[in-house]
Amino acid sequence: MPPPRTSTTVCSQIRAPARPFRCTTCQFSTSTALALPQLGPESPNYIHVPQPPQPEAPYLPRLKGILPTPRKIFPRNSPNKISPEYLSAVTPDPKPRPKTSTPPNPAHRSQIEWKTKLAEHRRRNLRESLRELKSRKDRMDKRLETRSNAKVELRERLLTAPTPADEKYTTPSILSSALSASYTMTQSERDALLARKKANHERHASQKVLERRNALHTLYMNARDFIVTEQTLTEAVERAFHPDNKQFDNEAKRGLNVWNLGYPETVKELLDTANKEDTGKALLRYIGYAELTDKRMKRLGEELTGGKM
């Protein structure tokens, strides 16, 4: 008789053989539960607000103030600042103490040595910084010059390069006679061209004189309505602001400004009035051509007399 199978109790409801098994209804954990933080109602984290997957952009405070313009250390007309003469002038060595001077106090000897050491460091740092800045400037100038020369060479090479094959084969055919840039006019062609240009100039000049004369005549005719005296100004003000002024009144009500008369006529309305078409106004159809004829006769008379009427 074979021995009975050994079984392991995983759950109260499941009996399985001794092999790795994970119950779907039971979960085991060996770690202790984390205690939730004790937050009061006054804390902003008291109510959990879910955050979006994408974090907010970091806040960068605005830097106040204006940086000064960098000063050129090596201007065009400045002396050589890395020469021994210039360095010895801006960073002179300490002068020896005269023999007749009183020797320093022994209690201050360490302080004097410390100040002397600091002064030597400052002189050395100034000399080294000038040399380093000069070498950096030379490298930058050389790099810029190399880049500029490369651009100039590329431009010259492109300007002097022959026509590419694709442009040569796709250019439309042009007669060789049309490619000649130099053309010599004959004497008869030159005289005809000069005569034509002279006639054009005279025509433009006469047209300008006529326009100037017409503008002067229009100004003279409109000068009768100009306000040049105080009496004329007073009369114009009284006429415009008089209570019985009816220039802005229409058939419906009394108006205080020009907008009471309606919007200005459009081009379509003017054409419909001239052609006696339907304009939406019943009375305009029966007026006739008298008003339009008067306007045309006035314009014709102005053209014949050469001025405003």
Side-chain angles (χ1 to χ4, degrees), residues 164-218:
D166 55 348
E167 294 185 8
K168 185 185 300 183
Y169 296 144
T170 57
T171 303
S173 301
I174 302 176
L175 298 177
S176 59
S177 59
L179 294 176
S180 58
S182 60
Y183 175 72
T184 305
M185 299 176 60
T186 61
Q187 185 64 29
S188 58
E189 292 177 348
R190 187 180 293 107
D191 295 341
L193 179 62
L194 291 178
R196 186 167 63 253
K197 289 183 176 296
K198 184 178 180 181
N200 293 340
H201 176 71
E202 292 177 354
R203 185 174 67 256
H204 286 300
S206 60
Q207 186 177 0
K208 286 184 178 180
V209 171
L210 185 61
E211 292 177 356
R212 192 179 296 110
R213 187 181 303 168
N214 188 14
L216 181 60
H217 186 269
T218 304

Side-chain angles (χ1 to χ4, degrees), residues 1-9 15-19:
M1 183 176 181
R5 296 183 178 180
T6 60
S7 62
T8 304
T9 302
R15 298 179 64 87
R19 60 178 180 177

Side-chain angles (χ1 to χ4, degrees), residues 53-298:
Q54 181 178 2
E56 298 180 357
Y59 172 73
L60 300 178
R62 186 176 67 89
L63 299 179
K64 298 182 179 180
I66 300 175
L67 292 176
T69 304
R71 187 178 58 178
K72 290 185 178 181
I73 304 177
F74 303 100
R76 186 180 298 275
N77 299 326
S78 64
N80 187 9
K81 294 186 178 182
I82 60 174
S83 60
E85 295 80 7
Y86 184 85
L87 294 178
S88 61
V90 296
T91 57
D93 294 331
K95 298 180 180 179
R97 181 180 297 275
K99 297 180 179 180
T100 58
S101 62
T102 306
N105 190 356
H108 300 161
R109 187 183 301 275
S110 60
Q111 184 179 5
I112 294 175
E113 293 179 355
W114 177 68
K115 289 185 175 181
T116 304
K117 190 175 181 179
L118 287 181
E120 181 62 28
H121 283 316
R122 287 195 296 269
R123 286 192 292 268
R124 186 177 69 252
N125 292 338
L126 180 57
R127 294 167 185 158
E128 293 179 356
S129 59
L130 285 177
R131 295 191 183 97
E132 181 62 26
L133 290 175
K134 180 63 176 176
S135 62
R136 185 190 304 177
K137 180 179 180 299
D138 294 341
R139 290 195 302 269
M140 292 179 62
D141 293 346
K142 187 176 181 180
R143 190 183 305 115
L144 292 177
E145 184 180 1
T146 304
R147 188 182 305 172
S148 178
N149 294 337
K151 290 182 178 180
V152 171
E153 293 178 0
L154 177 61
R155 179 179 178 275
E156 293 296 334
R157 186 168 63 254
L158 294 178
L159 288 177
T160 57
T163 306
D166 55 348
E167 294 185 8
K168 185 185 300 183
Y169 296 144
T170 57
T171 303
S173 301
I174 302 176
L175 298 177
S176 59
S177 59
L179 294 176
S180 58
S182 60
Y183 175 72
T184 305
M185 299 176 60
T186 61
Q187 185 64 29
S188 58
E189 292 177 348
R190 187 180 293 107
D191 295 341
L193 179 62
L194 291 178
R196 186 167 63 253
K197 289 183 176 296
K198 184 178 180 181
N200 293 340
H201 176 71
E202 292 177 354
R203 185 174 67 256
H204 286 300
S206 60
Q207 186 177 0
K208 286 184 178 180
V209 171
L210 185 61
E211 292 177 356
R212 192 179 296 110
R213 187 181 303 168
N214 188 14
L216 181 60
H217 186 269
T218 304
L219 178 63
Y220 174 75
M221 295 299 295
N222 294 332
R224 67 183 69 178
D225 299 331
F226 289 174
I227 299 176
V228 294
T229 60
E230 295 183 0
Q231 182 180 359
T232 310
L233 177 61
T234 304
E235 294 176 356
V237 171
E238 291 292 338
R239 184 170 58 255
F241 295 96
H242 197 272
D244 297 334
N245 188 9
K246 300 180 181 180
Q247 59 176 343
F248 299 134
D249 296 349
N250 56 13
E251 299 176 357
K253 61 178 181 179
R254 184 177 181 181
L256 301 178
N257 50 46
V258 70
W259 292 107
N260 191 51
L261 302 178
Y263 293 98
E265 293 182 332
T266 61
V267 177
K268 185 179 183 304
E269 293 176 354
L270 293 176
L271 291 176
D272 294 343
T273 304
N275 299 330
K276 292 301 177 181
E277 296 182 0
D278 187 10
T279 59
K281 299 180 181 178
L283 296 178
L284 292 179
R285 184 179 303 177
Y286 303 100
I287 290 178
Y289 292 94
E291 184 178 357
L292 185 60
T293 304
D294 291 342
K295 293 180 180 179
R296 290 177 177 177
M297 291 298 295
K298 182 178 179 182

